Amino acid sequence: MKFLDEAKIFVKSGDGGAGCVSFRREKFIEFGGPDGGNGGRGGDIIVEVVANLNTLIDYRYQQHFKARRGYHGSGKNRTGPDSDTIVMKVPIGTQIFDEDKETLLFDLVTPGQRIVLCRGGDGGFGNAHFKTATNQAPRLAGQGWPGEERWIWLRLKLIADAGLVGLPNAGKSTMLAAVSRAKPKIADYPFTTLKPQLGVVYVDEREFVLADIPGLIEGAHDGAGLGTKFLGHVERCRVLLHLIDGTQDDVAGAYKTIRKELKAYSSVLAAKPELVALNKCDALTDEEIEEKAAALKKAAKLKKGQVVYRVSGAAGINVKELMRTMLGIIDTDKAREVEEANDMSQGIEIDADA
């Protein structure tokens, strides 16, 4: 299945059905009176989040979703049936933007979540509705209310607890394959990863989701290489793992290049907790490891207690310890969210009591 994380579609809910102008005609009943039924309601456009999708590829081949209008009313006070609802299924983490591509309408992050994107129009009243004491034979019926229509953008941001960033060939795919059961493409040339990859990491009978995105290069925010089009998939992460290829000469320059691109893309992403790891240490001598780790620590401006992790995804060196550290940061962030939610709920209760 191809990966698609953005799509523009047109949605239109159904118009309401028209009411009916009808009069009762039966033998021996001279003044039957109006009996025109109401029109049915037009179909809604509903978006539903499902757990077994990870791409928006379905919306590449169908860009128009139009619900049917409600059925018209008929005589004998028969109301027209409502039209069927159209349910659009999207993956977890889908955002819905207005046509301007900037106004966020919905952020869908919960499996089973359903939102009404466009509500169908109500049906028109039949002439029986307009009967009064002074107007006992009305010849008036409503035509039904129009539905809603709009162009929208769907944008997918994968849900992951941690994200891998780094230059091409930094060993991100190898690391993902080493710590999870994911099977990303691995080769000795740049840009082997062309789309985001997810893997479930198991540590001490616990698990978290790790995302690997295609490598960044200098000028990515201006569109160089694959650009920053995939950085949105690590915006939801709680911690970033910044991998540096230890076999290259200027490890400090590599680190600064990625940090520059992260800041150019989003200040929120650049402010996320970050672990710096010198990768491919199995190909370095002890002296080279110490020298390059010191250069990285200086470039990253690490605080007291923070270290540059010396790892190797291919050889499995210090990988388990690194994953444990990431899990600890994830747990801390989750606990902070729960505490903030509790504080907010307590504040609401206090206001209600007041």
Side-chain angles (χ1 to χ4, degrees), residues 173 176-177 180-186 197-199:
S173 296
L176 182 66
S180 72
R181 295 181 181 177
K183 299 186 182 301
K185 182 179 179 181
I186 300 173
Q197 302 281 346
L198 291 179

Side-chain angles (χ1 to χ4, degrees), residues 88-156:
M88 300 165 49
K89 296 184 178 181
V90 298
I92 302 171
T94 300
Q95 293 180 322
I96 301 178
F97 288 86
D98 205 354
E99 187 177 6
D100 60 9
K101 214 174 179 181
E102 294 180 357
T103 306
L104 178 63
L105 303 176
F106 301 99
D107 192 1
L108 309 175
V109 296
T110 306
Q113 184 177 357
R114 289 166 65 100
I115 56 103
V116 179
L117 190 58
C118 291
R119 193 172 297 278
D122 292 327
F125 291 121
N127 67 332
H129 176 83
F130 298 99
K131 179 182 176 181
T132 65
T134 57
N135 185 13
Q136 297 189 16
R139 287 172 170 77
L140 172 67
Q143 294 302 308
W145 293 89
E148 301 173 348
E149 63 179 59
R150 68 197 315 169
W151 283 94
I152 60 170
W153 283 91
L154 300 179
R155 184 179 299 164
L156 174 61

Side-chain angles (χ1 to χ4, degrees), residues 18 20 66 92 247 292 300 341-342:
C20 175
K66 300 179 181 179
I92 302 171
T247 61
K292 293 185 177 183
N342 291 337

